[in-house]
Amino acid sequence: MTTRFKICNCNRTMPLDASAGNALGAALGTPALPVVSQLCRREVSAYLDELQGNDQVVVGCTQERALFSELAEQREATAPIRFVNIRETGGWGAQAKQALPKMAALLAAAALPEPEPVPSVGYISNGNVLLIGPSSRVMPWAKRLSAQLDVSVLLTSGFGGDAMLERRYPTFSGERIRIEGWLGAFRVRWRQSNPIDLESCTRCNACIEACPESAIDLSYQIELSACTSHRDCVKACSAIGAIDFDRVDADREKEFDLIFDLSERPLITLHQPPQGYFAPGEDAVRQAEHALQLTQLVGEFSKPKFFTYKEKLCAHSRNKKTGCNACIDICSAGAISHDGDHIKVNAQLCAGCGACTTVCPSGALTYAYPRASDLGQRLRTLLGTYLKAGGKQPALLLHSQERGAELIDALGRLAGTGTALGLPARVIPVEMHHVAAVGIDVWLTAIAYGASNILVLTTDEEAPQYIDALEQQIGIAQTILAALGYEGRHIELLRAASALDLDSELQRPRPASVPAKPALYHVAADKRATLDFAFEHLLRHAPVPVTDIPLPAGAPYGAVAVDTSACTLCMSCVGACPESALIDNPNLPQLRFIEKNCVQCGLCEKTCPESAISLTPRLLLDERARQRVVLNEAQPFHCIRCGTPFGTLQMMENMLAKLATHGAFAGNLERIKMCADCRVVDMMQNKQEMSILELKR
């Protein structure tokens, strides 16, 4: 499909003229781009003319997206329309005159075809909301929301709370509240701690009049510290049965679509709580914002399924021994849990941060929104177009589509007024759902494509464990690049809470060295395959082509060392290895190792009964990584009866030493030296042994 580009210098506030249009056309492989000054006003006809055909239209403006979309709808245009911001990201700023290559790159990336759709995850909400907290906060909001939602309340205030008069919605009280689930499928459990059940109570006030200690008020809850157990209230309520001091079944459980948690401290403390759960606390403004969102969450909803999981590659566990736990530990949404030898990802709870895919050493978890191959194509297009347009030393600024995009937009507007420097001309913004979704495979690929810096913008929206994981991944990548002789700091975290913070942070990075020739490979769906491509290219052009690189702890590559004096070649490690890095030899008692396959999960080390295995993180970049290296071998032991090999000499010696004093084997040690078939024959032929039948007699 042909793409038509429409660019505007925004009333001549950007350095775009006819010569710039020529340069952009040359970089994009199109005729010269006409540059207008008021595309959204007097020159809007230039935009409308492009809507006549079916060719894709890319508009270099996001501020007037709504206007341009409305005009296209009025014209019943069938042409696909894309929008890209070249003003705040390049056209406004101290280096705007040098930003033409960046503008070309952003326009080219905007013209890429849409990625293939991913599976979706569905939610159904009927508007059944539970409000939790003290009555002073809960009851006013219950009244406001009851006109639009099906309200229930769970009070935690107890005695002394607001008066409970009109019964307008189901009302409960309790403590030890536990919440599980997500939008449309919350399950709430609590303990009915007060003798008065508010849902059964008729508010007749008979208990208040009967109580001699005034331990009951209009909250219809009993002040247990004041109660002297006269039980006059029980007698007064006998016909209703709402009061029970000896309640056995005090546990309650109900299901709801939405949760409005007005407790002082949130009942769900996850950094990323499930969709449909809101906990504004005491903040009145946040309460109003969240209440508005609640009213909009009635109906059917969907979101992308952000991940794919390949169970056979997972190194989480084998035989009840835990190896890699990285994804479970890092998930800020509580969406990943242990599931036997593998993991289970709850798609409804998954928030799409992608940190699990970044820390996954084997590639069992991969990010799907976008897929790695789609992101790779985008980066390749950005960097290739930038370099083709004459740009030098490009830096990619990875940022989130929410807070990160807001900071970049705000910085651009400040730069437009001259109060900030703005994005440097060489810094190309790359919007992502979440910055934690990209790791070492994509970073090193971008450097292989020619990016001198990868800048990861972090704000206040990232979970603390994400920052730790990104720093660890950066440490591994920098170790590899430095060992290969690539000078400089290639990958950095930028921390910004405001536009001016970002402006300051962007002045800090310095261009680092990159391969002399950009790579041509495409990002693969398999994470480790992409890393192999990156390592190969970086090594081929490395200033210092070393092939053995020590790595920091936690790296997904490394060697396995075996203490041959302790190893009995039982092959437990082979059975535990999920990546086929440790393998046996069907013809000889040998333990062999393919280093390229090892993810350093530690399952072999934890499984070994002799504690004979240790791990050494490192990266081999030559043929040794693919070779089958013998870690241990031994002389085979042959059956003393038929001569069939069935173990190793060392294993047999260890067994004989351990079982020599065992009552069941002390008189038959020779039988241990026989293969399984010969043991059966020997037992049947040995008439001197006492049988079970003889013992029974």
Side-chain angles (χ1 to χ4, degrees), residues 260-264 266 278-288 290-291:
F260 197 22
D261 182 2
L262 294 163
S263 309
E264 291 185 9
F278 298 89
E282 301 178 77
D283 189 327
V285 175
R286 291 187 66 208
Q287 288 176 10
H290 289 182

Side-chain angles (χ1 to χ4, degrees), residues 351-577:
C353 66
C356 56
T357 67
T358 296
V359 299
C360 179
S362 66
L365 274 171
T366 55
Y367 201 63
Y369 190 74
R371 297 176 179 88
S373 55
D374 295 326
L375 178 58
Q377 182 184 18
R378 186 177 170 201
L379 298 183
R380 191 178 178 198
T381 299
L382 284 168
L383 293 167
T385 307
Y386 177 89
L387 295 171
K388 181 181 178 181
K392 305 292 184 183
Q393 300 172 326
L396 297 179
L397 176 60
L398 309 183
H399 66 88
S400 69
Q401 64 184 12
E402 295 182 1
R403 182 61 179 151
E406 290 174 4
L407 290 181
I408 291 173
D409 188 62
L411 175 58
R413 292 178 181 274
L414 289 176
T417 64
T419 55
L421 296 174
L423 264 65
R426 72 184 191 92
V427 175
I428 307 170
V430 182
E431 184 176 286
M432 316 199 62
H433 184 74
H434 200 292
V435 294
V438 174
I440 184 173
D441 53 330
V442 176
W443 297 339
L444 293 181
T445 291
I447 293 168
Y449 285 165
S452 63
N453 298 95
I454 308 296
L455 310 176
V456 183
L457 175 57
T458 61
T459 63
D460 54 0
E461 63 185 351
E462 291 84 18
Q465 63 265 36
Y466 293 175
I467 305 299
D468 295 339
L470 287 171
E471 288 179 336
Q472 183 189 38
Q473 293 282 310
I474 289 172
I476 295 169
Q478 282 296 152
T479 298
I480 296 170
L481 291 166
L484 292 172
Y486 292 102
E487 296 180 351
R489 183 78 178 168
H490 296 78
I491 311 167
E492 296 188 57
L493 286 183
L494 304 186
R495 304 169 191 264
S498 68
L500 291 178
D501 287 345
L502 176 58
D503 199 34
S504 176
E505 284 283 273
L506 285 170
Q507 312 312 313
R508 181 166 50 82
R510 295 292 177 264
S513 62
V514 298
K517 183 179 179 181
L520 299 177
Y521 69 87
H522 294 272
V523 173
D526 186 310
K527 177 178 182 176
R528 290 177 78 89
T530 299
L531 281 168
D532 287 343
F533 291 145
F535 294 151
E536 181 181 354
H537 184 81
L538 292 170
L539 178 63
R540 185 184 304 121
H541 299 278
V544 183
V546 297
T547 57
D548 190 341
I549 303 174
L551 295 179
Y557 290 89
V560 169
V562 174
D563 181 355
T564 56
S565 64
C567 175
T568 62
L569 289 174
C570 67
M571 300 301 172
S572 296
C573 55
V574 173
C577 181

Side-chain angles (χ1 to χ4, degrees), residues 656-675:
L656 290 172
K658 292 178 179 180
L659 299 177
T661 58
H662 195 286
F665 299 96
N668 298 288
L669 286 178
E670 291 300 304
R671 189 172 290 158
I672 296 175
K673 301 177 184 179
M674 300 178 190
C675 66

